[in-house]
Structures are given as C-alpha cells and as structure tokens.
Amino acid sequence: MGDGVAKVVNRLREAQENGKLDLSECGLTQIPDAVYMMMKDITVQSCDLSQNLLQSLPKKFCSKFSKVTELNISGNKLHTLPDELRNLQELQDFDASSNNLDRIPQVVFQCVKLKQLNVHSNCISEVDVMRLEAMDSLETLNIKGNPLPDDVKSQLSDSRLNIIKS
C-alpha cells in the first residue's frame, strides 16, 4: 500500500472513532469513493480537506457529510463551490481560504447557521455586503488578502460583522 493510501486509510479509521475527518495534506485531487464507503454510518462533524489539490468539491460530499459543522477546504485549487453546499445546514465554521475564488459563492448565503467564514487569500474583488449582513448567524468574515475595491472596503468597514480585512 502506498504512503498516501495508507495515510488516508489511517485517518479514516481515526474519523470512525471521533467523527473528525482529517484528510489534510494527502495530495488528493479528488475524494476517493472509499472515503464515502468507510464513513457511511458515521456522523462526521468536522472535515479538513485543506492543503490538497482539489479543483472541485464533489456534490456527493455535500450529501454524504450533511451534518458537518466545521469544513476546511483551504489551500486547494477551487474556483467555485457546488450548489449542493446548501445541504450543509449545520455548517458553522467554513474555511475556503487560499483558493482561487473570485467572489463569495452565492451558495454560501444559504448556509443558515454559518458563524465564521474565512475566504482569506483568494481572488475576490466583489462582495455582496448586503447579503452578508442578512445572514443572521454570521459573526466573523476573514477577507484579507483579496483585491477588494475601495467601495467594498468602505461598505465592509460599516458592517455589523467582525471583519478581518488587513
């Protein structure tokens, strides 16, 4: 068994015990079907897919791990997120930093329990501040390291949210 495969298998076994799926730094370009099979009867509360090579978050992931409260997909190569992300109705802490997002995906606004949103170091140049403000549960937005225009920075400065922008 290769080192990468062994690493994933060991982490899946740990997740079966504690409900925290950590597949960070596994060199993943996709999420193997074995992940879904081994975790099918486990309620995953936390999932870390950071520092991989993912170019997309599979739709299947969002339906299979719908009880996730924490999701870290930072340090991948994501340009967008699937509409199925709205199925993560328990999601409270979402880290999509260090990807290739050019805006906060519309589906994020449908995550009704989201408290923390980290989109640090993407390519975000436009932000729907009114929609962010309308998210009752959202408390903190980390948007630093993005090429925000001055008018957006000004709107964010007037926001009720705890904004991390520099």
Side-chain angles (χ1 to χ4, degrees):
M1 192 176 335
D3 288 344
V5 173
K7 186 178 196 179
V8 169
V9 170
N10 287 334
R11 294 209 183 155
L12 287 171
R13 287 187 180 130
E14 288 173 18
Q16 287 174 327
E17 293 175 19
N18 65 20
K20 296 179 180 182
L21 180 59
D22 180 1
L23 296 178
S24 63
E25 299 181 38
C26 288
L28 299 175
T29 56
Q30 62 184 3
I31 299 174
D33 283 337
V35 170
Y36 303 116
M37 287 189 293
M38 286 185 71
M39 300 304 295
K40 75 176 184 175
D41 295 324
I42 308 298
T43 300
V44 175
Q45 297 170 337
S46 173
C47 183
D48 187 347
L49 298 171
S50 66
Q51 306 304 317
N52 280 294
L53 304 167
L54 299 172
Q55 293 185 10
S56 65
L57 185 64
K59 297 174 181 181
K60 185 178 188 177
F61 172 87
C62 298
S63 61
K64 298 291 185 182
F65 298 114
S66 61
K67 301 293 184 197
V68 164
T69 59
E70 298 175 29
L71 177 59
N72 185 344
I73 57 171
S74 66
N76 280 285
K77 299 175 183 244
L78 301 166
H79 289 276
T80 188
L81 299 173
D83 288 339
E84 286 74 13
L85 189 77
R86 70 178 169 270
N87 295 337
L88 305 183
Q89 290 297 304
E90 302 300 318
L91 187 62
Q92 296 176 27
D93 189 348
F94 184 41
D95 187 345
S97 62
S98 300
N99 277 287
N100 298 313
L101 301 173
D102 62 0
R103 68 188 62 188
I104 297 173
Q106 295 295 314
V107 69
V108 169
F109 301 117
Q110 297 175 36
C111 296
V112 297
K113 292 187 179 178
L114 192 63
K115 291 180 181 180
Q116 318 285 330
L117 176 60
N118 185 351
V119 289
H120 173 275
S121 297
N122 275 281
C123 306
I124 297 171
S125 59
E126 59 183 81
V127 177
D128 190 337
V129 178
M130 288 178 53
R131 292 216 44 207
L132 285 171
E133 285 281 344
M135 295 178 71
D136 292 334
S137 62
L138 189 63
E139 297 169 357
T140 304
L141 171 66
N142 183 342
I143 197 156
K144 71 181 176 180
N146 284 286
L148 298 173
D150 288 339
D151 65 319
V152 172
K153 289 179 184 176
S154 176
Q155 289 176 27
L156 289 170
S157 293
D158 295 338
S159 173
R160 68 163 175 82
L161 299 170
N162 177 23
I163 307 287
I164 303 165
K165 60 180 186 281
S166 56

